[in-house]
Amino acid sequence: MEKRNQFHAQLLSLREERRKHLYRAIETARKLKGFHEALKETGSASRTLTLGVAAKGMLTEFAGRATAERVTQLETEFMQSYARLARKEDHHINASIDPISFDVVLSDESGKEINKNDLSAGEKQIYAIAILEALARTSGRSLPVIIDTPLGRLDSKHREKLREHYFPHASQQVIILSTDTEIDEDFYAKLERDISHSYQLE
């Protein structure tokens, strides 16, 4: 458990470092754009136009590459998360995300497209949770996670997957809002080592 926490902390640190490098690159591109704006006031019209076109092209290319890189990371994070949370009998899902519209296309191991409506209620909920976890990991930020009645439509296997692989690791602070039929005494006992505070509303 201690080694896993250390690896998790190292992974978060590397993601934060990567995010900082990306932001520095974006800031450099912004400064370059500012220099080109200044040249408009001092250079000739033709030179300014040439530099402006070049700068715009460079910034567009940079933005496209940065977005494509993040989308690729998001696809990878989603597939890893879904694989952890799904049952053996669930669909084996791959995801392709359009870098412009951000539409998600699901496919099976053979590459055949999967209609989201064909997923079971439990699979749809696991899919949604996996997308949220992937977005959180890709952002590189440690944000609190609030989950409202997460177990209502899930069978016992899906519930165990969430208990073991999601709730303790979703973030440094996870708030679960549950009914008494979702998290009963047995389920609570299995989560207890990871619980800081619990409250019962009557």
Side-chain angles (χ1 to χ4, degrees):
M1 184 69 179
E2 183 179 350
K3 284 187 177 180
R4 184 172 65 180
N5 290 335
Q6 289 176 352
F7 288 142
H8 184 63
Q10 289 175 358
L11 180 61
L12 290 177
S13 177
L14 288 172
R15 282 180 177 151
E16 180 64 19
E17 191 65 24
R18 182 175 175 274
R19 183 180 65 83
K20 289 179 180 178
H21 287 314
L22 180 60
Y23 285 166
R24 285 179 194 145
I26 293 173
E27 185 61 27
T28 300
R30 286 177 180 163
K31 289 180 180 178
L32 181 59
K33 184 179 179 181
F35 292 150
H36 288 163
E37 291 293 331
L39 281 174
K40 287 182 182 180
E41 300 177 2
T42 60
S44 65
S46 60
R47 177 174 171 77
T48 299
L49 179 60
T50 301
L51 289 173
V53 171
K56 182 178 180 181
M58 186 189 72
L59 290 171
T60 301
E61 181 182 358
F62 176 80
R65 288 182 179 179
T67 300
E69 183 182 344
R70 281 302 179 96
V71 166
T72 299
Q73 182 186 357
L74 181 60
E75 291 171 346
T76 302
E77 293 286 0
F78 165 76
M79 287 185 283
Q80 290 176 350
S81 178
Y82 188 87
R84 284 196 307 272
L85 301 178
R87 304 168 304 180
K88 289 183 179 179
E89 59 267 34
D90 288 340
H91 286 86
H92 295 280
I93 287 179
N94 296 315
S96 297
I97 303 173
D98 189 300
I100 298 176
S101 66
F102 295 100
D103 289 336
V104 181
V105 176
L106 303 180
S107 59
D108 60 20
E109 291 175 311
S110 64
K112 182 180 177 182
E113 185 173 334
I114 299 174
N115 189 327
K116 295 185 186 73
N117 293 328
D118 292 338
L119 299 177
S120 68
E123 286 174 324
K124 287 178 181 176
Q125 189 153 345
I126 294 299
Y127 160 76
I129 291 173
I131 282 285
L132 291 175
E133 182 177 31
L135 286 168
R137 291 183 181 278
T138 303
S139 74
R141 298 182 180 183
S142 181
L143 300 173
V145 173
I146 302 176
I147 310 168
D148 186 15
T149 55
L151 306 175
R153 297 189 298 172
L154 300 181
D155 59 24
S156 59
K157 289 183 180 179
H158 277 142
R159 291 184 179 206
E160 282 301 306
K161 288 281 188 175
L162 287 182
R163 180 195 64 77
E164 184 177 355
H165 298 295
Y166 182 65
F167 292 150
H169 314 293
S171 179
Q172 291 181 344
Q173 184 181 43
V174 180
I175 300 172
I176 303 173
L177 306 175
S178 161
T179 65
D180 56 355
T181 57
E182 284 185 286
I183 298 183
D184 55 22
E185 291 184 5
D186 180 59
F187 196 93
Y188 181 90
K190 293 177 180 178
L191 271 179
E192 192 167 12
R193 67 176 184 177
D194 296 305
I195 296 175
S196 171
H197 296 77
S198 61
Y199 304 90
Q200 181 175 347
L201 301 180
E202 297 182 355

